[in-house]
Amino acid sequence: MEEDRLNSPNTSAIVIEVLGHRLHLSQDPNSKHLGTTVWDSSMVFIKFLEKNSRKGRFSPSKLKGKRAIELGAGCGLAGLGMALLGCNVISTDQIEVLPLLMRNMERNASWIMQTNPETASFGSVEVAELDWGNKDHIRAVCPPFDYILGTDIVYAEHLLEPLLHTILALSGPRTTIMLGYELRSTIVHEQMIQSWRDNFVVKTIPRSKMDSKYQHSSIQLFIMEPKASAKRGDGDNIQNSLVDDGSDDCCGCRSKEQEEDDD
Ligand SMILES: C[S@@+](CC[C@H](N)C(=O)[O-])C[C@H]1O[C@@H](n2cnc3c(N)ncnc32)[C@H](O)[C@@H]1O
């Protein structure tokens, strides 16, 4: 599957198996809005979570009860992955996308709870409007969050600044930002990397940590932390951004819990 597309954006629904659950995402291929189909980097992201959830920072025991927000959620797949691992997730997008997003989140959450009532790790999902840069929308979701997620939300130059400001406004000193990103424009990519590096310690997730089927040469996953928080942990080792250090620890980053253990 390496170089093929992972999703079928022309169908009215897709099914993907994650953590023993069959997630069913409705799509609207006829809509002109980008958020009404599932994008490939969200599939790469959720399968990465699945692969790395048995132990470490993405295990349900570490994520249970953590607050996560997904930006530009579209059909909501990435947020569902974090909820399956125990997070309380707010999935956000522009108003036009919210009916489909709400349907997908509600249907999957209730299906998971009905068919697997023993799924103790499932957190919660809710949906909210959040237009990047809108201060009222940001205030309404009560930042800061433990996790900020976004897949395929960086694709146009004019969106970089409002997106960055939104992420900064939603972050606290211990927030982890996780982005899935498909390279389409070198100009946008370079600007994005520069602005992330100016504000965060940025790590790319090595391909070896991704699901072997759900990866693509143009899709990257990033984990970022505010610079000050990284310095409190093992910042000396991760000052150089975008380093694939091949560490055995997932992504080479230290978890908040590891930092707490050290304190
Ligand atoms: C390419 S789609 C990706 C959707 C989803 N994250 C996925 O991976 O399947 C980009 C998403 O960003 C959202 N978006 C674009 N500009 C936005 C803005 N200014 N504020 C909030 N969301 C925005 C779109 O509505 C859309 O859902």
Side-chain angles (χ1 to χ4, degrees):
M1 207 180 271
E2 167 75 346
E3 289 307 322
D4 298 336
R5 302 319 303 174
L6 304 174
N7 183 28
S8 320
N10 299 322
T11 59
S12 60
I14 66 145
V15 174
I16 179 167
E17 298 251 359
V18 184
L19 293 158
H21 302 277
R22 274 171 77 78
L23 301 182
H24 184 287
L25 283 303
S26 296
Q27 306 190 114
D28 180 0
N30 299 320
S31 145
K32 297 240 170 348
H33 205 288
L34 292 177
T36 58
T37 55
V38 175
W39 290 71
D40 284 352
S41 55
S42 67
M43 302 175 96
V44 172
F45 175 78
I46 200 169
K47 286 301 212 175
F48 159 79
L49 283 182
E50 177 183 66
K51 179 170 171 166
N52 293 279
S53 62
R54 275 163 40 114
K55 58 185 170 79
R57 67 188 306 188
F58 299 119
S59 60
S61 64
K62 294 280 165 82
L63 291 178
K64 187 73 192 159
K66 294 278 193 286
R67 293 186 76 222
I69 186 161
E70 181 174 10
L71 301 177
C75 295
L77 185 59
L80 276 171
M82 292 296 275
L84 276 170
L85 293 171
C87 288
N88 299 322
V89 178
I90 306 184
S91 288
T92 71
D93 209 311
Q94 294 175 311
I95 195 137
E96 302 88 335
V97 183
L98 296 190
L100 183 64
L101 176 59
M102 213 172 289
R103 180 142 49 96
N104 279 324
M105 299 307 270
E106 280 172 1
R107 183 164 61 180
N108 283 289
S110 74
W111 179 249
I112 289 163
M113 301 310 276
Q114 272 170 34
T115 52
N116 304 71
E118 72 284 2
T119 310
S121 69
F122 192 79
S124 63
V125 288
E126 61 181 281
V127 169
E129 179 184 6
L130 201 162
D131 229 319
W132 303 333
N134 183 313
K135 288 188 180 143
D136 293 335
H137 293 172
I138 290 169
R139 206 174 301 118
V141 293
C142 300
F145 287 84
D146 297 302
Y147 291 91
I148 300 174
L149 329 169
T151 57
D152 230 324
I153 55 173
V154 180
Y155 52 89
E157 212 175 327
H158 72 277
L159 294 174
L160 287 175
E161 201 179 311
L163 177 60
L164 175 65
H165 287 160
T166 302
I167 290 176
L168 289 170
L170 295 169
S171 302
R174 298 170 74 80
T175 300
T176 298
I177 299 134
M178 300 199 285
L179 293 181
Y181 168 71
E182 179 159 351
L183 178 64
R184 296 194 182 86
S185 149
T186 313
I187 295 174
V188 175
H189 177 76
E190 282 170 3
Q191 286 187 3
M192 176 196 86
I193 292 298
Q194 193 52 53
S195 79
W196 298 134
R197 280 178 168 174
D198 289 345
N199 291 279
F200 307 105
V201 175
V202 183
K203 299 272 295 179
T204 43
I205 291 176
R207 285 264 154 73
S208 59
K209 301 288 184 189
M210 298 180 192
D211 182 285
S212 57
K213 270 170 75 179
Y214 286 88
Q215 51 178 271
H216 193 280
S217 58
S218 60
I219 294 179
Q220 290 182 306
L221 301 180
F222 297 106
I223 294 203
M224 315 199 293
E225 289 173 349
K227 282 188 168 170
S229 124
K231 281 186 193 127
R232 275 205 307 274
D234 65 349
D236 289 346
N237 295 339
I238 55 177
Q239 283 299 321
N240 291 329
S241 55
L242 299 176
V243 176
D244 174 354
D245 64 4
S247 151
D248 279 335
D249 180 28
C250 175
C251 322
C253 300
R254 291 162 69 79
S255 67
K256 290 180 179 127
E257 287 70 20
Q258 284 172 309
E259 289 177 19
E260 278 159 12
D261 289 343
D262 289 346
D263 287 341

